[in-house]
Amino acid sequence: MKALGTLFIAALLVIVAALVFIYSGWYDVSANSAHGAVARRLLGTVMRNSVRAHARHIVPPELSSQMARAGAGHFKEHCAECHGAPGVERGDIGRGLTPRPPKLADTAQNWSAGELYWIVRNGIKMTGMPAWDASHSDEEIWQTVAFVRLLPRMSPAEYQQMVTQAGPHGHAHAEEGGHGHDEHEH
């Protein structure tokens, strides 16, 4: 009985400490200060495990070089500002986010194609990573994933060449071997 009482008091103290922490305003949520090591590790673990669990059953299509060429334009327009690219530093928005968006040229290989698709499609809460499903088709998201998968092996010159070859709205120019898509394609 004494052990049960001790356990109850310990649980009550944890609840009181949590409430003091929550309502005190002590934790700095400013984007100018990084999370502490414990919070960073905890949030990173939760994020990785959540993405892996939710993406577990996603079967990626064949990620072709044509898809990657189309994805280069999407990446340049929507991702490079925050994530940077080979030879391209993050822009003002990416430098101002906390936590800092990962440099995908360094970290993309840590995720499967299905996991990258899930992240791009759904975004990540409280990181600045938006969900692109409302403004981009599944095809466009897979094109972006195909491109992101190439980033870790891409030189700055190769990056510049691919984004230069990307046509309007991220579709590869026909003369470069891509055909993009229009209203008549399905």
Side-chain angles (χ1 to χ4, degrees):
M1 194 60 138
K2 185 175 182 174
L4 212 57
T6 303
L7 186 60
F8 176 76
I9 291 172
L12 190 60
L13 287 174
V14 167
I15 290 170
V16 168
L19 289 172
V20 167
F21 177 78
I22 291 167
Y23 288 102
S24 71
W26 173 76
Y27 190 78
D28 185 2
V29 297
S30 161
N32 288 320
S33 66
H35 291 297
V38 173
R40 191 172 48 250
R41 179 169 284 131
L42 176 66
L43 293 172
T45 300
V46 168
M47 188 266 299
R48 278 188 303 280
N49 290 331
S50 177
V51 169
R52 290 190 173 124
H54 286 91
R56 181 176 304 131
H57 300 294
I58 295 173
V59 178
E62 179 72 29
L63 300 178
S64 68
S65 59
Q66 180 179 330
M67 287 176 75
R69 281 192 300 274
H74 296 298
F75 185 88
K76 180 183 180 200
E77 289 181 37
H78 305 292
C79 309
E81 172 69 21
C82 293
H83 294 284
V88 177
E89 290 299 316
R90 293 180 184 103
D92 291 341
I93 293 171
R95 286 191 303 271
L97 291 173
T98 299
R100 285 275 180 339
K103 289 188 174 191
L104 296 176
D106 298 333
T107 62
Q109 74 274 1
N110 298 335
W111 301 97
S112 72
E115 291 165 347
L116 289 169
Y117 169 83
W118 191 92
I119 291 168
V120 174
R121 185 174 192 287
N122 297 290
I124 304 290
K125 288 179 185 176
M126 297 172 40
T127 66
M129 176 62 195
W132 290 103
D133 66 331
S135 60
H136 289 73
S137 68
D138 280 350
E139 178 185 21
E140 291 169 321
I141 293 171
W142 280 117
Q143 290 167 345
T144 304
V145 168
F147 180 74
V148 167
R149 299 282 292 173
L150 299 178
L151 283 174
R153 300 181 307 276
M154 194 177 290
S155 71
E158 291 167 325
Y159 172 77
Q160 287 303 321
Q161 180 181 14
M162 284 190 83
V163 297
T164 299
Q165 290 174 352
H169 307 294
H171 301 294
H173 292 292
E175 65 269 15
E176 300 298 334
H179 62 57
H181 74 262
D182 60 34
E183 299 84 40
H184 305 294
E185 282 186 29
H186 298 284

